[in-house]
Structure formats: C-alpha cells, structure tokens
Amino acid sequence: QPPASGSWYDWAQGFKVPSDSSCDGAELSMAKLDGTTTDITIRIETDDGGGKPSGTLVHANATATISGLTDTVQDWRVVTFTAFNLTGGVQYHIVADMPGTGDFRYNWYLHNAGTYADGRAWGRINNGAYTEGAAEHDLMFRINGNVLAGTGSRRLLLGVGL
C-alpha cells in the first residue's frame, strides 16, 4: 500500500518475454485510493544489472500515460505504445511512475500466488531507492504485442493475473 499523503510511490514489476517480440501495449490492474487525481506514466525500462529497474526506457516509444485515474474500482488500465521490440529472455520492468509530488495515492494490485518466475515486484518512495517486494507477491500486469519468430504472426500476451 502506498505511503501517507504528501509522498508518492513508484511501483515496478520485472518480466521477460519468451522470445523476440514486439510490444504495442500494456495493462495494469489498478484503482485510485484517494487524494488529488493525477496522471500516471507507464514505462518499459531496462534492468540495472541487479534485478531493479534502471530508469532507462527500453525504447523511446516505451512510455505512455494513464490520464487522470479517478476510478476507485479495481480494473485493467490499458496503455498503448507505438510498437517497439523486446528481446526474448532479457529482464525488463514495467514501471508506474508518479511524476512530481502531491497527495495522490493509487493501488497497483498484487497477485499473491507467487507463480511468476520471470521478475519481481519493486517499490520506491519519493524517487528514492527501489525496495524489492516479497517473493510471493507479483503486481498484476499484461504485456501486449506480437511474437516475431516463426511463420506468421502470433499474438503475445504475458503477465500475472491474466
């Protein structure tokens, strides 16, 4: 759960695509908790080499915005990217970034089964250092795109809480 008013929290979830794929969107299971409504920037970032988000976009197109989240009911929030490629087996992170300060609080819902082996949940307060979440917790997300290898086009859908 995010911190008290006056602070903001960024959340991240590591993931890997099974083979080279394009990425044209993402979905996050989220809701507003309280505070002033604001935008949430969704980013696909590289790994820092130690399992954490690096702060570096995987591609210039790997950013989108959930505009003015006001809904307090848990639902899938969809963002669309201009397609970019991801390399199979490489660690990436989907990041929900709260730009600036304020009293806005949101929840990115957890999947408590601990079954997703290709990444961990991370959180940070006020742009500080990321702290790793509990092993049994993964943030509910979906990565949308197309698998590039093989014949024909196969739709890619991976994540937690599908």
Side-chain angles (χ1 to χ4, degrees):
Q1 174 137 336
S5 294
S7 299
W8 74 99
Y9 221 105
D10 296 332
W11 296 103
Q13 172 67 48
F15 71 93
K16 295 178 184 177
V17 293
S19 59
D20 293 355
S21 302
S22 66
C23 177
D24 59 22
E27 302 172 44
L28 297 82
S29 183
M30 302 179 96
K32 176 181 176 177
L33 292 177
D34 59 32
T36 306
T37 299
T38 191
D39 295 343
I40 302 171
T41 302
I42 306 303
R43 302 165 49 93
I44 305 295
E45 295 185 6
T46 59
D47 187 81
D48 72 352
K52 298 178 186 178
S54 67
T56 302
L57 290 174
V58 69
H59 187 278
N61 294 343
T63 185
T65 301
I66 297 173
S67 296
L69 179 61
T70 59
D71 196 347
T72 58
V73 176
Q74 178 183 2
D75 201 0
W76 289 102
R77 312 302 169 181
V78 179
V79 294
T80 302
F81 304 119
T82 300
F84 56 91
N85 292 341
L86 298 173
T87 303
V90 172
Q91 185 72 60
Y92 299 106
H93 301 270
I94 182 169
V95 176
D97 181 38
M98 288 289 303
T101 61
D103 65 353
F104 178 75
R105 297 188 328 142
Y106 68 97
N107 196 5
W108 183 355
Y109 286 88
L110 294 172
H111 186 266
N112 294 318
T115 57
Y116 187 70
D118 286 333
R120 296 292 298 271
W122 297 89
R124 69 178 180 179
I125 187 169
N126 297 341
N127 283 335
Y130 275 104
T131 301
E132 189 171 20
E136 69 273 13
H137 294 158
D138 294 302
L139 296 167
M140 295 173 64
F141 76 101
R142 299 172 178 158
I143 298 295
N144 302 315
N146 290 297
V147 176
L148 300 176
T151 58
S153 179
R154 293 181 293 146
R155 193 74 182 144
L156 169 73
L157 175 65
L158 92 132
V160 174
L162 298 176

